[in-house]
Amino acid sequence: MVKVTDEIKASLAGTKLVFLATSSKNGTPNAVPVGAFKLLDDETMLISDQYFKKTLANIKENPKVAVSYWGEKGGFQIKGTVTVHTNDEIFKKDAAWVKELKPNLVAKSAIVLKITDVYQVKPGPDAGKKIL
């Protein structure tokens, strides 16, 4: 069970954009910028889908993803397994949250990432090192 640290929480809170990387079953990669994301708790991240096409197709074939970011307070790479929610309480909360963020956006699905690994992305000798 991986739990993010206060440093990781602070760095994510100071970030406006993350990059979500997926891969199809045959290994074709895809990476997209995402602005609607947040930690649900110390082990789980929510990524809201408004425009995913290739990303959603990849997730349905291969639920393992990576999120990478760098913001005002540093950054990390977070890896894990995702589930897609389209008609449940998680999705309803996501849709309401997205409307608060930007009233013109419409959530198509809520992607819930169960965090399994966290890696350092800061330049230097520990770049790429698994920290959780």
Side-chain angles (χ1 to χ4, degrees):
M1 173 176 7
V2 172
K3 292 188 175 190
V4 295
T5 64
D6 288 341
E7 179 186 11
I8 294 167
K9 290 179 201 176
S11 70
L12 194 57
T15 301
K16 294 184 191 304
L17 196 64
V18 300
F19 291 88
L20 173 63
T22 61
S23 176
S24 67
K25 187 170 43 175
N26 70 3
T28 303
N30 188 58
V32 295
V34 177
F37 61 90
K38 65 180 176 179
L39 288 173
L40 293 176
D41 56 43
D42 291 349
E43 303 171 8
T44 314
M45 184 177 191
L46 172 72
I47 301 164
S48 187
D49 161 26
Q50 288 82 54
Y51 303 109
F52 296 165
K53 184 175 180 171
K54 291 180 286 187
T55 299
L56 196 56
N58 283 355
I59 287 171
K60 288 177 180 179
E61 291 183 7
N62 176 6
K64 294 181 186 237
V65 304
V67 171
S68 189
Y69 65 93
W70 187 266
E72 294 175 9
K73 297 182 180 183
F76 295 90
Q77 182 188 67
I78 297 171
K79 292 186 180 184
T81 303
V82 294
T83 55
V84 179
H85 300 263
T86 57
N87 194 20
D88 60 8
E89 195 60 31
I90 292 170
F91 173 70
K92 289 175 187 172
K93 287 181 179 180
D94 172 54
W97 174 65
V98 167
K99 278 289 181 204
E100 287 176 25
L101 288 176
K102 292 195 175 181
N104 62 326
L105 290 181
V106 176
K108 294 190 318 189
S109 64
I111 310 298
V112 177
L113 189 162
K114 178 70 175 167
I115 300 168
T116 58
D117 307 279
V118 180
Y119 295 83
Q120 183 65 256
V121 297
K122 182 168 54 174
D126 288 335
K129 179 181 176 184
K130 183 176 177 177
I131 60 171
L132 294 177

